[in-house]
């Protein structure tokens, strides 16, 4: 009888942690179902479950948890324990992440990944202060401007009515201070805005544009990459601490595989999307050499205006130093 009581007591002590370890981790994202990103997340979840012998199970909830602001609230309430968040949502968590979305700051994926790697310890500390663990980086592609009328210069863009996310007051103000005409709208209102003429320009990666079909209302693309649209794969510290150290290592390893796959696959999908949309009426405008020089000359002015306002000075300076270091190699 005494042995039985001891066994029951041990089970009562061990079972709660064991049950927590087996509880699925819900991963929220705004990725459209069956999109490149949704499939990649589900493949990652399957790989992680296999490697950990089902000790770690991810339940991918793409496009079913609301917008990203809602997903962030769910993370803080622990009703969602992981997420793939865009730079915009990350910037709402901490302005340090605004450095990733600066227009014309990066010129290539390799350059962006170098800066991401150099700043990773900083970003990990920032997220830890908010109760999150950084598992890896994602990639949505390079944002390009799609417009209702042809655009080939910065002055053309300044005359356009550009979509920007509602609630992002800092970005609206930045656009205005630099001579642009921003129109803040909810993401769900972009199609309406294009159809009614409320907006006639928006920045998105080509593959995403193809998925949502916005190019039918704005059939011109300016072939000057604006910025890489970078995501971060996060887990709440509360969920992370339920995992053993071995399972944490497995999660980080598979998160790195997810990251590498995204940065290999997404650019290819963007190129294929442009070719497909061209066949359906999209016109791609390539600025001449003089216009490209003008873009690059203006780029430093545009990004430097974010220093100390939208982007903390120390983060901006660190990113600039690392970017220039990469260019000097």
């Amino acid at each position: 009888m005494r042995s039985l009581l001891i066994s029951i007591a041990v089970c009562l002590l061990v079972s709660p942690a064991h049950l927590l370890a087996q509880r699925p981790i819900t991963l929220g994202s705004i990725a459209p179902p069956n999109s490149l990103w949704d499939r990649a997340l589900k493949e990652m979840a399957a790989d992680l479950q296999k490697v950990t012998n089902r000790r770690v199970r991810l339940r991918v909830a793409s496009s079913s948890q609301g917008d990203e602001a809602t997903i962030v609230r769910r993370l803080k309430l622990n009703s969602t324990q992981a997420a793939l968040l865009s730079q915009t949502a990350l910037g709402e968590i901490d302005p340090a992440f605004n450095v990733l979305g600066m227009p014309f700051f990066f010129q290539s994926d390799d350059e962006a990944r170098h800066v991401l790697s150099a700043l990773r310890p900083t970003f990990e500390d920032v997220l830890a202060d908010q109760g999150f663990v950084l598992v890896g980086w994602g990639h949505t592609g390079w944002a390009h401007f799609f417009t209702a009328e042809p655009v080939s210069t910065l002055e053309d863009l300044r005359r356009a009515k550009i979509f920007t996310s509602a609630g992002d007051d800092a970005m609206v103000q930045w656009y205005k201070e630099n001579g642009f005409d921003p129109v803040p709208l909810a993401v769900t209102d972009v199609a309406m805005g294009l159809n009614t003429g409320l907006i006639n320009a928006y920045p998105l990666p080509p593959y995403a544009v193809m998925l949502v079909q916005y190019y039918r209302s704005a059939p011109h693309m300016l072939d000057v990459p604006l910025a890489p649209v970078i995501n971060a794969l996060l887990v709440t510290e509360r969920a992370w601490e339920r995992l053993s150290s071995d399972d944490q290592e497995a999660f980080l390893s598979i998160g790195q595989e997810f990251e590498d796959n995204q940065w290999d696959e997404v650019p290819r999908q963007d190129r294929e999307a442009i070719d497909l949309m061209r066949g359906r009426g999209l016109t791609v405008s390539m600025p001449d050499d003089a216009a490209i020089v003008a873009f690059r000359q203006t780029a430093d002015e545009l990004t430097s205006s974010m220093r100390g306002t939208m982007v903390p000075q120390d983060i901006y300076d660190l990113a600039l130093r690392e970017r220039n270091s990469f260019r000097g190699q």
Side-chain angles (χ1 to χ4, degrees):
M1 184 66 174
R2 182 181 178 188
S3 297
L4 178 60
L5 291 174
I6 292 173
S7 297
I8 293 172
V10 170
C11 287
L12 288 173
L13 290 172
V14 173
S15 292
H18 175 73
L19 290 173
L20 282 172
Q22 296 298 323
R23 184 185 303 161
I25 295 173
T26 299
L27 190 156
S29 85
I30 59 170
N34 202 37
S35 63
L36 166 66
W37 308 288
D38 177 54
R39 294 195 302 270
L41 288 171
K42 289 175 179 174
E43 288 172 7
M44 180 187 70
D47 291 343
L48 183 59
Q49 180 169 301
K50 181 178 179 180
V51 167
T52 62
N53 196 26
R54 294 180 58 84
R55 290 188 304 274
V56 183
R57 293 177 292 150
L58 291 180
R59 185 177 71 85
V60 177
S62 293
S63 208
S64 65
Q65 299 249 310
D67 60 15
E68 289 196 307
T70 302
I71 292 174
V72 171
R73 287 195 296 271
R74 293 173 68 92
L75 287 169
K76 292 180 178 180
L77 292 171
N78 200 44
S79 57
T80 296
Q81 297 81 40
L84 182 67
L85 295 179
S86 72
Q87 176 272 318
T88 301
L90 294 167
E92 292 297 314
I93 293 174
D94 192 281
F97 289 98
N98 289 336
V99 74
L100 303 179
M102 293 193 299
F104 307 116
F105 186 76
F106 297 115
Q107 293 184 6
S108 70
D109 279 345
D110 288 341
E111 187 175 275
R113 292 197 79 180
H114 172 82
V115 173
L116 281 175
S117 178
L119 269 64
R120 179 160 182 154
T122 300
F123 288 132
E124 287 176 335
D125 289 343
V126 166
L127 288 170
D129 288 342
Q130 299 293 329
F132 300 113
V133 174
L134 176 63
V135 175
W137 299 107
H139 193 12
T140 307
W142 281 76
H144 290 68
F145 273 107
F146 288 79
T147 59
E149 300 297 331
V151 167
S152 58
T153 67
L154 271 175
E155 290 310 309
D156 290 339
L157 273 180
R158 285 190 168 106
R159 288 190 289 269
K161 293 177 285 186
I162 300 173
F163 160 77
T164 190
S165 298
D168 192 351
D169 296 337
M171 181 57 78
V172 171
Q173 186 62 30
W174 178 85
Y175 267 126
K176 290 180 177 179
E177 289 174 352
N178 286 281
F180 296 95
D181 183 12
V183 180
L185 292 173
V187 174
T188 52
D189 291 334
V190 171
M192 176 276 294
L194 288 169
N195 291 331
T196 61
L198 184 62
I199 58 172
N200 54 22
Y202 62 92
L204 272 181
Y207 176 67
V209 172
M210 185 190 70
L211 289 180
V212 295
Q213 304 282 296
Y214 290 166
Y215 67 92
R216 298 188 183 279
S217 299
H220 299 274
M221 187 190 93
L222 179 61
D223 197 10
V224 177
L226 180 67
V229 182
I230 297 170
N231 305 317
L233 183 62
L234 311 179
V235 179
T236 63
E237 284 187 345
R238 184 173 177 179
W240 187 256
E241 290 170 357
R242 297 203 318 256
L243 308 179
S244 69
S245 58
D246 287 344
D247 288 346
Q248 289 175 352
E249 287 299 318
F251 207 153
L252 290 172
S253 177
I254 289 175
Q256 185 63 53
E257 292 175 10
F258 169 83
E259 178 179 328
D260 293 341
N261 174 267
Q262 290 281 285
W263 288 78
D264 287 340
E265 185 69 12
V266 169
R268 183 180 68 80
Q269 290 282 2
D270 272 350
R271 291 190 295 270
E272 291 181 1
I274 291 171
D275 289 341
L276 181 62
M277 289 187 291
R278 270 179 161 160
R280 297 176 179 177
L282 178 72
T283 299
V284 179
S285 300
M286 171 65 77
D288 59 26
D289 290 344
I292 291 176
V293 169
F295 267 105
R296 294 305 175 198
Q297 288 176 340
T298 306
D300 286 343
E301 298 175 14
L302 293 175
T303 55
S304 63
S305 68
M306 292 184 168
R307 181 181 184 269
T309 54
M310 293 185 65
V311 181
Q313 291 184 17
D314 58 335
I315 300 297
Y316 179 94
D317 293 344
L318 180 56
L320 182 65
R321 186 190 75 196
E322 291 297 333
R323 187 204 68 179
N324 292 343
S325 173
F326 179 85
R327 291 181 181 179
Q329 291 178 359

